[in-house]
């Protein structure tokens, strides 16, 4: 097993010199713990995602404290359950905003979007665990993303289609999911740039259970692939019904399905399906680089603690903590404004990829760090194209 690398050692170009803080928030001169908040969906429909988020955040905090903490202070994690409900996420944020240095937000896109207005008013750094584009477009000063945006996933898949000769696609999306709607919009917006035409659009709701009409409609087109934007149960149901539908064009799913939460229930029906993911999900199957080593080290630590490989949602939580640690250390302070400024100048290698935040970019990740995989014997395996492209991204 490779030795674990302390989180602090992963920071790129980060000054570790502490400076005094002049604001009303806790400063680096305080002796007490640095408090970080986590809003996770620990009950309700998004409980599986929130549980993985919580595991990875707790692991990261444990490693930080074992390595001496931040600015010589221990880290204390405050966890609240949004119950997979937007109003509960808002309540959770309001309950902790005056007591924490920063908040890591919900994996449920609707919860995160509901919380942003109160983040704007409170001016507390907020690292979101959901990829909905509306969180950072337009920019909200204190809101940053850990996952790549839906738009970024769309771009990567269109790059893959272009490289593999797919010029016409059908797209299906969940109209009740902010993530899925943003993904569809991104696909439509970028398709022509990559020589791809959307020849059919199918819509459904999160509660849908019968997709036979969708497959029938796609059969009647000249689409060369079916791209589905979905979260939760529909991803599994569509995969199973696709396998029995007789539809002879490839099925493509996005990062929301890049975990055992989809692959397990989908079973044999998942074999051969194309699934996009962050680089961390398949790092052990990619050529070694500083980027993939960072992800593999995390995966080994996660597996040692929890007995399983970290899924997509764990990559996001762990990366969010790394970003906050780097920002606090760079700022030399727990002042909210100074942390925000530090994030805007942050370059950091994490299991999710290399973040390059700026004043105009609060998402930080580009398509270079998304892998396009196929499912083989229940496992996500990067395509040869993805291996080559990620190797290029790791060199940037």
């Amino acid at each position: 097993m490779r030795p674990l690398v302390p989180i602090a050692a992963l920071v790129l170009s980060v000054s570790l010199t502490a400076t005094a803080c002049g604001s009303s928030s806790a400063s680096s001169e305080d002796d007490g713990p640095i408090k970080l908040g986590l809003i996770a969906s620990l009950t309700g429909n998004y409980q599986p995602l929130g549980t993985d988020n919580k595991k990875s955040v707790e692991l990261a905090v444990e490693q930080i404290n074992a390595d001496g903490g931040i600015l010589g202070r221990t880290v204390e994690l405050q966890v609240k359950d949004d119950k997979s409900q937007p109003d509960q996420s808002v309540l959770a944020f309001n309950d902790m905003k005056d007591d924490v240095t920063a908040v890591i937000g919900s994996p449920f896109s609707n919860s995160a979007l509901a919380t942003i207005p109160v983040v704007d008013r409170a001016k507390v750094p907020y690292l979101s665990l959901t990829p909905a584009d509306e969180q950072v477009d337009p920019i909200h000063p204190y809101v940053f993303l850990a996952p790549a945006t839906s738009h970024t996933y769309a771009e990567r898949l269109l790059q893959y289609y272009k490289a593999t000769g797919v010029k016409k696609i059908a797209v299906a999306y969940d109209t009740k999911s902010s993530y899925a709607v943003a993904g569809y919009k991104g696909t439509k917006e970028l398709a022509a740039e990559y020589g791809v035409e959307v020849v059919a659009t199918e819509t459904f709701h999160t509660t849908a259970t019968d997709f036979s009409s969708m497959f029938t409609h796609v059969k009647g087109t000249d689409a060369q692939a079916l791209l589905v934007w979905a979260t939760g149960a529909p991803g599994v149901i569509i995969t199973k019904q696709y396998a029995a539908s007789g539809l002879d064009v490839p099925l493509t799913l996005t990062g929301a399905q890049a975990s055992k939460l989809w692959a397990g229930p989908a079973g044999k029906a998942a074999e051969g399906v194309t699934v996009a993911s962050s680089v961390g999900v398949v790092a052990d199957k990619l050529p070694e680089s500083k980027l993939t080593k960072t992800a593999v080290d995390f995966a080994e630590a996660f597996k040692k603690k929890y007995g399983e490989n970290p899924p997509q949602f764990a990559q996001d939580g762990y990366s969010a903590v790394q970003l906050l640690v780097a920002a606090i250390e760079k700022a030399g302070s727990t002042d909210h404004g100074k942390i925000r400024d530090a994030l805007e100048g942050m370059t950091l290698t994490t299991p999710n990829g290399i973040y390059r935040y700026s004043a105009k970019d609060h998402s930080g990740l580009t398509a270079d760090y998304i892998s396009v995989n196929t499912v083989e014997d229940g496992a996500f395996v990067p395509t040869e194209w993805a291996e080559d492209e990620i190797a290029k991204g790791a060199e940037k």
Side-chain angles (χ1 to χ4, degrees):
M1 178 178 292
R2 304 176 190 219
L4 298 181
V5 178
I7 286 181
L10 298 172
V11 180
L12 302 180
S13 305
V14 174
S15 168
L16 300 183
T17 302
T19 60
C21 167
S23 88
S24 60
S25 60
S27 79
S28 60
E29 297 174 333
D30 292 344
D31 295 326
I34 293 176
K35 297 180 181 180
L36 299 181
L38 171 65
I39 302 173
S41 301
L42 302 178
T43 54
N45 291 341
Y46 288 84
Q47 177 269 332
L49 281 65
T51 299
D52 284 332
N53 291 151
K54 181 172 179 284
K55 285 180 179 179
S56 61
V57 169
E58 287 177 338
L59 172 60
V61 169
E62 180 182 299
Q63 290 179 330
I64 294 164
N65 287 334
D67 196 44
I70 311 174
L71 305 178
R73 298 162 61 185
T74 59
V75 177
E76 181 179 299
L77 184 64
Q78 185 176 141
V79 181
K80 290 188 178 293
D81 178 14
D82 74 359
K83 303 176 183 178
S84 302
Q85 298 175 24
D87 64 327
Q88 293 300 310
S89 178
V90 174
L91 289 173
F93 180 85
N94 283 331
D95 282 346
M96 65 172 64
K97 66 182 181 181
D98 296 326
D99 196 38
V100 298
T101 296
V103 175
I104 298 171
S106 175
F108 179 30
S109 58
N110 294 359
S111 284
L113 289 168
T115 307
I116 286 176
V118 292
V119 174
D120 288 343
R121 291 194 292 271
K123 298 182 179 180
V124 174
Y126 181 87
L127 266 290
S128 177
L129 297 176
T130 187
D133 296 64
E134 301 98 308
Q135 299 170 100
V136 292
D137 184 14
I139 293 290
H140 293 265
Y142 284 82
V143 176
F144 297 79
L145 300 192
T149 64
S150 304
H151 191 277
T152 306
Y153 270 97
E155 182 175 19
R156 190 57 149 183
L157 288 167
L158 288 166
Q159 291 173 354
Y160 175 72
Y161 286 145
K162 180 180 179 179
T164 54
V166 173
K167 296 182 178 180
K168 296 183 178 183
I169 63 172
V171 182
Y173 70 99
D174 181 352
T175 59
K176 298 299 183 181
S177 164
S178 297
Y179 164 78
V181 171
Y184 170 71
K185 288 180 178 178
T187 305
K188 288 282 287 184
E189 177 185 329
L190 295 171
E193 181 179 337
Y194 291 96
V196 176
E197 180 185 359
V198 177
V199 297
T201 297
E202 298 290 323
T203 61
F204 57 90
H205 291 176
T206 311
T207 55
T209 57
D210 183 359
F211 296 91
S212 56
S213 62
M214 179 178 79
F215 297 125
T216 299
H217 293 164
V218 174
K219 283 180 184 178
T221 72
D222 55 354
Q224 297 169 278
L226 169 60
L227 169 57
V228 175
W229 291 93
T231 58
V236 173
I237 298 169
I238 287 171
T239 302
K240 287 186 171 181
Q241 293 183 7
Y242 162 83
S245 70
L247 186 63
D248 59 359
V249 299
L251 174 64
T252 306
L253 301 172
T254 68
Q257 282 73 49
S259 83
K260 67 182 185 301
L261 301 176
W262 168 79
K268 292 183 179 179
E271 293 296 306
V273 173
T274 301
V275 183
S277 75
S278 74
V279 63
V281 172
V282 292
D284 60 336
K285 300 178 181 69
L286 293 166
E288 186 170 334
S289 65
K290 182 175 182 178
L291 170 60
T292 56
K293 184 179 185 303
T294 298
V296 169
D297 287 344
F298 161 58
E300 290 178 349
F302 190 93
K303 189 171 184 178
K304 181 178 180 180
K305 184 173 179 65
Y306 300 114
E308 59 183 0
N309 289 320
Q312 177 71 64
F313 315 111
Q315 313 283 337
D316 298 334
Y318 191 86
S319 296
V321 177
Q322 287 186 304
L323 288 159
L324 285 175
V325 170
I328 293 168
E329 289 184 330
K330 183 179 180 181
S333 169
T334 56
D335 176 80
H336 295 155
K338 291 182 179 180
I339 294 170
R340 189 203 75 85
D341 292 345
L343 283 167
E344 283 197 341
M346 181 66 60
T347 296
L348 186 70
T349 299
T350 79
N352 259 358
I354 302 174
Y355 289 82
R356 294 179 177 90
Y357 287 137
S358 71
K360 295 182 179 180
D361 183 359
H362 282 200
S363 58
L365 291 176
T366 63
D368 299 297
Y369 310 110
I370 293 174
S371 182
V372 180
N373 319 298
T374 54
V375 179
E376 298 178 13
D377 297 326
F380 299 106
V381 178
T383 60
E384 290 185 14
W385 177 84
E387 289 186 19
D388 292 341
E389 292 299 307
I390 291 172
K392 296 175 186 175
E395 296 172 357
K396 292 184 177 181

